[in-house]
């Protein structure tokens, strides 16, 4: 750029002499080289972009380097039970729809019970499906990082999903009479003969027929049960008999639970049941449940050598599930744990399980839960005696165990310990055996009478699989996010830098200024 400075009339004043330079013109030539800079606003913008890009690159590096620490921080925050977090909302009320499916066993030849050449024969009826809800109530948060609560379960019969109705007749061994005979089996023969006469006066047979609804939830009246209730020989509320009678909507049936909240680790581990750390139903270590899950949360970082220990109030004891195989559910690899020898054996293969027999050990496959069921000769097995000793199937006819229908399993995502699929299946059996001195039972065969089995099959909803996939791929996600931040920051910086460079913000430009001096003019004194 050429700059010309013209002055048509210049005046110079001094103290002693004042002169006037008139008509002096000049042009600047060969001035020093100068630089032109962008305004401050552009420089500030570039500085902000540079700092932002640097921070994004730093964030990307830290995300990659500390991905495991970030994961553990998230898990330790979410896997703690507090009144205001998401884990609590899912725990206090089960968000996944659950159904209780029941199958009943109908005794088809009860009149042949005294025929030595005939086995008790059964046919399976059902399914009878009930919609189920489960909520926590009477919740108390304790200072020792535990929470105390009760379970409230409610059931509604679902006729559309059921095969049959609640009015279907079911014939089975009379559980009240059988339980009474079992309780008196070791009494003096005189007392047993007296009881035998009373039984003969009330009942003609050891079996009875009632509707499905009565046998399950509604209950039915029984003369012997009514008499025992009047004499205060039974717990309050047992005025009728039904396998689930008085349980629908009850907050007391399952008992009071106390479990860890996860603040000190071990989220969901049962600390006390009914205010005790020992069930009292089984001796020694078999009555303990230390380290067992209360049934809502399970351990993380599972391996194929892990054993899932879970307490169930229906059995008054814990179950142990062992690894079986890897499976894939919704593109997620899971570990399948099943009820195997650790749960079903009675001391034959696993000596420490012998205390579960409570002095009445049977072959592997049927667990003695008599103490948990008011002294009734009740035994629990897998449906159709699946995985049980052949001894049990040889005593009856009509049962056909199958793995896909009768296996008890839980599939866990091993990193998070979240259940992906559950099929909880157990069968209730009553042991019928000769009782000398009680005529109605003296000549009966020994058999484990299947009464019913339940199934609760739940698969994780599709909307929850996304969260699990995020958790198990967290390291990869952090790597991609970190690389993405660094790439975006680098590209953004280069684009801004190139833009400013192309606009010559940082380039110098030479400025040549010529000076042209005009001829001297007459000097004229200033008149006073």
């Amino acid at each position: 750029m050429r700059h010309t400075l013209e002055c048509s009339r210049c005046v110079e004043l001094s103290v002693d002499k004042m002169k006037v330079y008139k008509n002096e013109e000049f042009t600047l030539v060969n001035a020093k080289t100068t630089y032109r800079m962008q305004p401050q606003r552009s420089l500030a913008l570039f500085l902000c972009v540079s700092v932002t890009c640097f921070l994004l690159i730093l964030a990307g590096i830290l995300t990659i380097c500390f991905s495991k620490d970030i994961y553990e921080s998230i898990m330790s925050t979410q896997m703690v039970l507090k009144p205001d977090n998401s884990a609590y909302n899912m725990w206090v009320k089960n968000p996944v729809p659950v159904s209780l499916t029941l199958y009943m066993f109908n005794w088809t030849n009860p009149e042949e019970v005294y025929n030595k050449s005939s086995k008790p024969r059964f046919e399976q009826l059902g399914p009878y499906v009930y919609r189920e809800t489960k909520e926590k109530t009477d919740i108390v948060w304790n200072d020792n990082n535990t929470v105390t609560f009760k379970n409230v379960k409610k059931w509604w019969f679902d006729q559309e999903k059921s095969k049959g109705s609640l009015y279907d007749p079911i014939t089975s061994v009379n559980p009240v009479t059988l339980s009474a005979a079992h309780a008196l089996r070791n009494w003096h023969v005189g007392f047993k003969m007296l009881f035998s006469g009373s039984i003969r006066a009330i009942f003609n047979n050891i079996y009875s027929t009632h509707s499905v609804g009565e046998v399950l939830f509604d209950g039915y009246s029984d003369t012997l049960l009514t008499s025992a209730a009047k004499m205060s020989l039974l717990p309050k509320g047992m005025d009728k008999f039904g396998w689930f009678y008085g349980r629908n909507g009850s907050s007391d049936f399952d008992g009071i639970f106390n479990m860890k909240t996860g603040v000190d680790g071990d989220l969901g581990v049962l600390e006390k049941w009914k205010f005790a750390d020992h069930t009292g139903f089984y001796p020694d270590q078999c009555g303990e449940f230390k380290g067992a899950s209360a049934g809502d949360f399970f351990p993380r970082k599972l391996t194929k050598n892990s054993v899932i220990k879970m307490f169930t109030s229906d059995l008054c004891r814990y179950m142990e599930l062992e690894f079986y195989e890897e499976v894939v559910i919704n593109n997620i690899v899971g570990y399948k744990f099943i009820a195997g020898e650790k749960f079903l054996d009675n001391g034959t293969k696993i000596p420490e399980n012998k205390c579960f027999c409570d002095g009445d050990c049977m072959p592997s496959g049927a667990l003695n839960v008599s103490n948990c069921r008011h002294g009734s000769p009740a035994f629990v097995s897998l449906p159709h005696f699946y995985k049980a000793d052949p001894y049990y199937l040889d005593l009856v006819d009509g049962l056909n165990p199958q793995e896909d229908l009768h296996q008890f399993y839980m599939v866990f995502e091993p990193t998070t310990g979240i259940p992906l699929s559950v099929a909880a299946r157990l069968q209730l059996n009553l042991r019928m055996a000769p009782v000398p001195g009680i005529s109605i039972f003296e000549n009966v065969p020994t058999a484990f009478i299947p009464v019913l089995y339940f199934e609760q099959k739940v698969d994780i909803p599709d909307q929850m699989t996304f969260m699990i996939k995020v958790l198990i791929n967290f390291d990869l996600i952090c790597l991609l996010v970190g690389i993405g931040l660094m790439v975006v920051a680098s590209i953004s910086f280069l684009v801004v830098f190139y833009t400013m460079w192309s606009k010559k913000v940082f380039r110098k430009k030479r400025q040549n200024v010529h000076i042209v001096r005009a001829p001297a003019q007459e000097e004229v004194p200033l008149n006073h």
Side-chain angles (χ1 to χ4, degrees):
M1 179 184 295
R2 180 182 181 86
H3 295 279
T4 304
L5 180 61
E6 294 183 353
C7 182
S8 59
R9 194 172 185 83
C10 298
V11 180
E12 180 179 303
L13 300 177
S14 63
V15 176
D16 54 350
K17 185 177 180 180
M18 303 182 67
K19 298 181 180 180
V20 176
Y21 296 89
K22 298 170 59 177
N23 298 323
E24 184 176 69
E25 295 181 358
F26 60 90
T27 303
L28 297 178
V29 183
N30 295 327
K32 292 182 177 180
T33 301
T34 61
Y35 297 90
R36 183 183 66 179
M37 300 298 296
Q38 188 73 357
Q40 291 184 352
R41 182 178 178 183
S42 298
L43 294 177
L45 176 62
F46 176 73
L47 181 62
C48 290
V49 171
S50 300
V51 172
T52 302
C53 292
F54 171 78
L55 294 177
L56 288 176
I57 293 174
L58 181 62
I61 295 173
L62 294 177
T63 300
I64 295 173
C65 294
F66 295 97
S67 60
K68 295 187 181 298
D69 295 318
I70 297 172
Y71 174 81
E72 289 299 328
S73 177
I74 293 174
M75 293 301 292
S76 62
T77 301
Q78 294 301 315
M79 299 305 286
V80 172
L81 197 62
K82 296 180 181 179
D84 55 351
N85 66 357
S86 57
Y88 172 81
N89 295 329
M90 297 180 66
W91 171 76
V92 75
K93 185 174 182 179
N94 189 0
V96 181
V98 177
S99 295
L100 175 67
T101 303
L102 294 159
Y103 296 87
M104 310 298 296
F105 290 100
N106 185 46
W107 192 359
T108 61
N109 62 338
E111 68 282 350
E112 299 179 12
V113 65
Y114 301 115
N115 186 348
K116 300 296 183 181
S117 62
S118 178
K119 297 180 183 179
R121 185 170 59 251
F122 300 90
E123 65 174 347
Q124 177 179 296
L125 301 182
Y128 302 96
V129 181
Y130 288 80
R131 289 178 289 111
E132 177 183 309
T133 62
K134 179 181 177 182
E135 294 186 42
K136 304 294 188 296
T137 185
D138 298 337
I139 300 172
V140 178
W141 301 92
N142 306 306
D143 295 334
N144 61 346
N145 296 325
T146 64
V147 59
T148 302
F149 61 92
K150 295 179 181 179
N151 286 321
V152 178
K153 296 179 181 178
K154 297 179 181 180
W155 292 275
W156 295 267
F157 183 64
D158 192 335
Q159 181 64 70
E160 292 184 359
K161 294 183 179 180
S162 300
K163 184 179 180 181
S165 75
L166 297 181
Y167 299 101
D168 293 343
I170 292 292
T171 299
S172 186
V173 64
N174 189 320
V176 178
T177 306
L178 181 64
S179 298
H182 177 75
L184 298 175
R185 69 191 185 282
N186 296 323
W187 284 31
H188 189 275
V189 64
F191 287 104
K192 289 194 289 186
M193 290 179 65
L194 179 63
F195 176 77
S196 178
S198 301
I199 290 295
R200 279 291 186 184
I202 299 173
F203 304 103
N204 293 323
N205 300 301
I206 66 170
Y207 57 89
S208 60
T209 301
H210 297 279
S211 69
V212 171
E214 290 175 325
V215 171
L216 294 178
F217 286 95
D218 297 339
Y220 58 87
S221 298
D222 182 275
T223 304
L224 190 61
L225 190 65
T226 302
S227 300
K230 288 181 178 179
M231 292 186 290
S232 301
L233 299 177
L234 296 173
K236 186 179 179 181
M238 291 190 63
D239 54 325
K240 291 184 177 182
F241 180 83
W243 292 111
F244 297 93
Y245 177 69
R247 186 171 181 176
N248 201 345
S250 172
S251 61
D252 298 320
F253 192 90
D254 284 348
I256 301 175
F257 296 80
N258 175 258
M259 75 173 195
K260 291 185 177 182
T261 59
V263 174
D264 299 329
D266 298 329
L267 172 63
V269 171
L270 186 64
E271 285 284 283
K272 295 182 183 298
W273 181 57
K274 296 184 177 180
F275 301 107
D277 55 8
H278 194 285
T279 65
F281 293 102
Y282 303 96
D284 305 326
Q285 76 272 10
C286 289
E288 298 176 354
F289 43 81
K290 186 177 182 181
S293 166
D296 296 296
F297 301 98
F298 298 91
R300 296 193 289 133
K301 300 179 181 179
L302 297 173
T303 69
K304 296 180 180 180
N305 295 321
S306 299
V307 175
I308 302 297
K309 196 173 180 180
M310 177 178 62
F311 181 82
T312 168
S313 59
D314 289 322
L315 306 181
C316 304
R317 57 165 286 181
Y318 62 84
M319 299 177 62
E320 287 185 303
L321 306 181
E322 48 198 302
F323 176 80
Y324 183 63
E325 63 180 352
E326 284 188 7
V327 296
V328 178
I329 298 177
N330 292 336
N331 296 320
I332 299 175
V333 176
Y335 284 4
K336 185 177 184 179
F337 288 79
I338 66 168
E341 289 183 356
K342 287 184 177 294
F343 172 59
L344 297 172
D345 187 63
N346 291 317
T348 304
K349 301 176 181 179
I350 304 176
E352 55 267 28
N353 279 8
K354 192 171 183 178
C355 53
F356 282 118
C357 301
D358 196 18
D360 189 13
C361 285
M362 301 302 300
S364 177
L367 309 174
N368 188 350
V369 295
S370 300
N371 287 341
C372 187
R373 286 292 170 258
H374 309 293
S376 175
F379 287 75
V380 168
S381 67
L382 296 182
H384 289 245
F385 295 114
Y386 172 68
K387 294 187 76 69
D389 190 286
Y391 165 80
Y392 299 99
L393 284 174
D394 289 341
L395 299 176
V396 296
D397 284 332
L399 274 61
N400 180 28
Q402 300 178 54
E403 178 178 315
D404 57 333
L405 297 177
H406 305 136
Q407 187 181 63
F408 187 118
Y409 68 83
M410 298 183 73
V411 180
F412 297 92
E413 194 292 305
T415 305
T416 61
I418 298 175
L420 302 176
S421 180
V422 175
R425 301 170 174 133
L426 291 175
Q427 178 173 298
L428 175 64
N429 312 278
L430 293 175
R431 182 174 65 178
M432 182 177 66
V435 181
I438 300 179
S439 59
I440 198 172
F441 283 101
E442 277 187 324
N443 298 312
V444 299
T446 297
F448 287 78
I449 307 296
V451 177
L452 61 87
Y453 83 83
F454 77 86
E455 176 185 73
Q456 282 191 307
K457 196 171 187 304
V458 182
D459 295 317
I460 189 169
D462 292 338
Q463 60 268 26
M464 294 183 65
T465 58
F466 174 77
M467 177 190 69
I468 296 177
K469 289 179 180 179
V470 170
L471 292 175
I472 62 180
N473 294 294
F474 195 79
D475 284 346
L476 177 61
I477 292 174
C478 286
L479 176 63
L480 295 178
V481 169
I483 294 175
L485 289 174
M486 291 187 288
V487 170
V488 170
S490 300
I491 292 176
S492 299
F493 177 81
L494 293 175
V495 168
V496 173
F497 182 84
Y498 176 78
T499 301
M500 291 190 172
W501 178 266
S502 63
K503 292 184 178 181
K504 302 179 181 180
V505 172
F506 306 113
R507 297 175 64 184
K508 61 184 180 180
K509 183 166 184 172
R510 185 173 299 275
Q511 311 271 348
N512 292 325
V513 181
H514 298 278
I515 300 175
V516 179
R517 192 169 184 87
Q521 302 294 325
E522 177 183 3
E523 186 176 290
V524 181
L526 182 64
N527 295 325
H528 294 287

